[in-house]
Amino acid sequence: MTPKEKAMKIAMKFDKYGQTDNAVKCALICVDVILNDVGAKDWELDTGTNTNYWQEVKQEINKL
């Protein structure tokens, strides 16, 4: 899934009442949690790839 597709999917999960601004804020919080978890587990994951992907997702969410 592309970062743009993932951004839309996450944001739409929060946009049940047509409150796109709140959906974007919630989606950004989710991605920040993911980025913090990925960074905390350097020894477990290839964080270079994962971090780049989630940074791109965050950029796409900010465009919504």
Side-chain angles (χ1 to χ4, degrees):
M1 183 174 295
T2 69
K4 185 174 185 173
E5 292 168 335
K6 187 62 130 180
M8 289 295 295
K9 184 175 181 179
I10 294 170
M12 290 303 105
K13 289 194 179 280
F14 293 104
D15 192 19
K16 295 185 183 205
Y17 306 105
Q19 298 176 346
T20 305
D21 290 341
N22 287 334
V24 168
K25 289 175 187 174
C26 291
L28 286 170
I29 290 168
C30 288
V31 172
D32 283 339
V33 169
I34 292 167
L35 283 167
N36 287 333
D37 285 351
V38 168
K41 297 179 181 182
D42 285 344
W43 52 273
E44 252 184 82
L45 301 168
D46 174 15
T47 57
T49 302
N50 290 321
T51 301
N52 290 340
Y53 175 77
W54 288 106
Q55 286 291 352
E56 289 179 33
V57 171
K58 188 173 179 176
Q59 291 172 359
E60 292 296 334
I61 291 170
N62 280 315
K63 293 177 185 177
L64 298 176

